[in-house]
Structure formats: C-alpha cells, structure tokens
Amino acid sequence: MLVNNITSTHPVAFLLMGIPGLEQLHIWISIPFCSAYTLAVLGNCTLLFIIRVDAALHEPMYLFLSMLAAIDLVLSSSTLPKMLALFWFRDREINFHACLIQMFFLHSFAIMESAVLLAMAFDRYVAICKPLHYTTILTKPLIIKIGLAAVTRAVTLMTPLPFLLRRFHYCRGVMIAHCYCEHMAVVRLACGDTRFNNIYGIAVAMFIVVLDLLFVILSYIFILRAVLQLASQEARYKAFGTCVSHIGAILAFYTPVVISSVMHRVARRAAPHVHILLANFYLLFPPMVNPIIYGVKTKQIRERVLGLFLRKDLKGK
C-alpha cells in the first residue's frame, strides 16, 4: 500500500481508524451521521438561496446569517464525505497533503464560525441598544470588512499548522486514531519535540473561545440592560425575541466545545470513542441545527421557506 512508502520527512498517506472500539458499528453510526449531513446541506443551501434571491433579506442580520450558512457547509463538507467513505467502504487511506488540507479547512472554518457568531452578537447589540443608528453603523462596507477580518484571522492562525507538521518524522506509525485529520491526533504520531505544536494548538483554542465568548457575553449584558429599561413587558419580549435564534446558534456551537474540553480534563480515562464521538458531534450539530433554529424562530425566513414550498405545490397541481 501507499502508506508503507515513506519519504525522507513524512509518509505518503495516513490511515484513519474511525471510531476506536466501535469499528463493528461503523455502518450503524453512519446512519445518523449521513442524516445530519444531509439536513445540514439542504438547510444551509436553502438559507443561502432564500437570502440570495429575496432583496428584502439583504440586511446585516441576514448577511451574517448567510456567512454562517456558507461556513457550516464548508465545515461539515471538509470531513463528512471522507468519514462516510470510511464507514461505508472502509476507505481509510488519506494522502498526507490531503490530510493537512482537511485539517486546515476544519480548524480555519471553525474559527471563522466563532467570529461570525461574535459579529452577529454585535449586530443584535446595535439593533437593540442603538436602533436609530443601526443602518448607519452596520453598512455593507463594514459587513464586508468584518467578513474579511474573520477570514484573515482564521487563515493567519491556522497557516502555521501544516508547515509545522511537515517538518516532523512520523515514526509512531500512520494510523490516526480518529475519523478525520484532527491536529493533535496527527501530532501524536510525530517524533521529536512536539511541545510547540501542543502549546500552539491549546493557545489558539483558548484565545478564540475565551476572547470571542467574552465579547458575546458582554454584548448580551448590554442588550439585557437595554431590554430591561423598556417601558412595557410586550416591548421587552419583542426585543429579546429577536435574539433567541442567535442565542440558540451560540449554544449549539459553544456547548459541544465546552463539554469536550471538560471531558478531556475530567474524564481522561474515558474510552477513546467517547472523545471522538463528542468531537464529531461538535462538527455535525451546529451545521444541522442552525438552519432549523433560524427557520423556526425567524419570521421572515420561515415565511420565505413556506412560500417556496407552497409555490412548488401549486406548480405541481
């Protein structure tokens, strides 16, 4: 096989183990995974289509939502097709450079998603705390700059990883104990001093999660203060109701991250498949539920989706 061919610095390919300890259940595990991926693709493509064709939705909130949908599509598509090939056809081999590319896309787009969720928190802050200045603050040029800043930050932070991994010799085998090329799973196969990779990976994760989440929480402290100052209870419910979808998206993204982080520290002796299933849940859950959250809770999106399907039904008759 190709994986037995070793160049002067790295193997030609790695082998993905899948979910260690649950190999005999891969076919059954693939069913919810495939269903979640199908829902993610259909839901996010529908969101992008509706926002694209409806000029009334070309507002800051929906432009940020379209960014989130595009990121979710790339995030899930960077891993799920290969993962399903592994589960269904036992196609475990992945080229070394393809592995690095998958890793780069996976971690970069996760960082971009965090940045977009932060931008959406800022959008809600301006809409509720400074409603009269909403259109003058959140202009299209500013939204473009925010999007470019999110991409630049992610690419800048993740570009070193492939180059850091290329310099290692891989003397601990070619079997990655994971369903995809996760950074630390690859680092464990490397020889030599990997301390910098370990520290860099943890530092970036902590920097992104702590910094972004801190600013999101601060935004909602200001939002809550502004909402509580409204005169009527109905106005309070209406104002805070515009934030429900975003809060759901934040919980969908950050809750698996926090649970996985806690499990790695509290339950270190837990079976490897527990940590890997949590990591897969983190990849699958937000892309699957975000379109559902926004489709159900956002009136404008819900009406457009229903209108789209009603028109199809009428044409069919």
Side-chain angles (χ1 to χ4, degrees):
M1 286 180 71
L2 283 174
V3 292
N4 294 324
N5 238 342
I6 305 292
T7 68
S8 58
T9 56
H10 57 74
V12 173
F14 287 118
L15 291 176
L16 296 167
M17 188 181 292
I19 304 175
L22 299 179
E23 289 89 349
Q24 71 280 8
L25 298 176
H26 276 176
I27 289 291
W28 296 106
I29 292 169
S30 72
I31 296 171
F33 277 41
C34 183
S35 302
Y37 180 56
T38 303
L39 284 173
V41 171
L42 290 175
N44 286 294
C45 285
T46 302
L47 275 181
L48 286 170
F49 174 75
I50 288 170
I51 294 169
R52 174 70 181 85
V53 299
D54 194 334
L57 297 180
H58 294 178
E59 297 176 3
M61 175 183 170
Y62 301 106
L63 294 176
F64 286 130
L65 179 56
S66 65
M67 290 183 198
L68 188 69
I71 289 167
D72 279 340
L73 277 174
V74 177
L75 191 60
S76 54
S77 297
S78 64
T79 54
L80 260 295
K82 179 62 183 176
M83 203 184 298
L84 292 174
L86 165 65
F87 291 159
W88 291 339
F89 312 115
R90 297 183 181 178
D91 181 14
R92 301 191 298 169
E93 190 173 294
I94 183 166
N95 180 273
F96 178 80
H97 294 100
C99 182
L100 297 186
I101 291 167
Q102 185 189 64
M103 183 193 307
F104 176 79
F105 271 83
L106 166 66
H107 294 304
S108 294
F109 278 84
I111 292 172
M112 287 181 212
E113 178 146 355
S114 183
V116 170
L117 288 172
L118 175 57
M120 293 172 87
F122 176 66
D123 168 78
R124 292 299 84 207
Y125 163 75
V126 176
I128 292 172
C129 299
K130 300 180 185 292
L132 298 177
H133 304 287
Y134 183 71
T135 54
T136 56
I137 292 173
L138 280 167
T139 59
K140 283 191 178 179
L142 179 62
I143 293 167
I144 292 168
K145 286 176 185 176
I146 290 172
L148 289 173
V151 173
T152 302
R153 183 181 73 157
V155 171
T156 302
L157 288 172
M158 287 298 106
T159 296
L161 286 187
F163 295 100
L164 288 169
L165 291 170
R166 276 177 60 86
R167 65 190 177 92
F168 289 123
H169 291 270
Y170 291 85
C171 62
R172 295 191 175 98
V174 293
M175 185 71 75
I176 298 174
H178 219 298
C179 301
Y180 53 85
C181 290
E182 193 269 335
H183 174 235
M184 291 311 300
V186 177
V187 169
R188 290 188 191 101
L189 302 178
C191 307
D193 189 355
T194 61
R195 281 178 298 178
F196 181 79
N197 287 70
N198 294 333
I199 293 168
Y200 187 79
I202 293 168
V204 168
M206 292 300 293
F207 171 74
I208 296 301
V209 172
V210 173
L211 191 68
D212 289 1
L213 200 52
L214 176 65
F215 281 114
V216 167
I217 291 168
L218 281 173
S219 296
Y220 273 97
I221 289 171
F222 288 121
I223 288 168
L224 188 60
R225 190 175 67 176
V227 168
L228 292 174
Q229 288 174 351
L230 294 173
S232 69
Q233 192 171 12
E234 185 182 348
R236 290 174 199 160
Y237 281 131
K238 188 176 179 182
F240 205 72
T242 63
C243 302
V244 171
S245 298
H246 181 244
I247 292 170
I250 289 169
L251 291 174
F253 182 77
Y254 284 110
T255 302
V257 175
V258 173
I259 292 172
S260 182
S261 179
V262 170
M263 283 292 292
H264 271 289
R265 284 153 184 79
V266 175
R268 290 182 180 179
R269 295 183 182 178
H273 67 259
V274 173
H275 298 294
I276 292 172
L277 285 171
L278 275 172
N280 289 328
F281 182 71
Y282 161 69
L283 278 181
L284 280 169
F285 190 62
M288 178 184 71
V289 300
N290 283 342
I292 297 170
I293 291 168
Y294 279 94
V296 171
K297 287 293 182 182
T298 308
K299 184 182 176 183
Q300 293 87 338
I301 297 287
R302 186 172 65 248
E303 287 176 350
R304 268 59 169 195
V305 171
L306 289 172
L308 186 69
F309 285 106
L310 285 172
R311 279 199 299 272
K312 284 186 178 179
D313 286 343
L314 289 171
K315 284 179 182 179
K317 292 176 182 179

